[in-house]
Amino acid sequence: MRGQDDGKRLDAAELGTQLGERATLVQFSSAFCAPCRATRRILGEVAGMVPGVTHVEIDAEAHLGLVRRLDILRTPTVLVLDADGRIVRRATGRPRKADVIAALGEAV
């Protein structure tokens, strides 16, 4: 998981659901993306293990405005948001569970 996003933030309206109490894992996916399925499973497991963390999956093709604003170039892309919706980490490709947990440490 790499760097920050210059203070960009997302809110519940953009996500289509409430932010997690402590952090939110946002996954941008596309319909025919095999690594997206594995990423969904990994992020779901982490969100289930860590209290106050929510996992949200967004269909990149259905949210092109958001994809452009956030410079999402491929799927899966994972954003880690803090409790205020500020992007603290971003990664592309299938993440390792340990990396996701470590990135959450920065958000909470």
Side-chain angles (χ1 to χ4, degrees):
M1 297 237 140
R2 64 179 166 78
Q4 298 196 3
D5 262 62
D6 301 326
K8 288 182 183 172
R9 57 178 55 201
L10 295 170
D11 60 27
E14 290 172 305
L15 295 176
T17 188
Q18 291 299 312
L19 291 166
E21 186 179 306
R22 296 176 65 204
T24 306
L25 300 169
V26 180
Q27 173 185 348
F28 284 86
S29 298
S30 52
F32 299 105
C33 163
C36 292
R37 289 189 287 280
T39 299
R40 177 184 313 121
R41 182 180 49 75
I42 291 165
L43 297 181
E45 286 175 11
V46 171
M49 289 170 28
V50 183
V53 174
T54 301
H55 170 227
V56 178
E57 188 170 2
I58 295 176
D59 179 356
E61 296 164 43
H63 296 86
L64 290 175
L66 193 55
V67 164
R68 288 186 188 106
R69 180 170 84 81
L70 298 172
D71 300 318
I72 306 296
L73 303 177
R74 57 181 275 220
T75 57
T77 292
V78 177
L79 306 177
V80 179
L81 311 182
D82 67 11
D84 296 323
R86 197 171 37 252
I87 300 170
V88 295
R89 281 282 187 218
R90 119 181 339 238
T92 57
R94 181 177 163 240
R96 292 184 359 204
K97 189 185 288 189
D99 293 336
V100 176
I101 292 168
L104 277 175
E106 293 182 38
V108 296

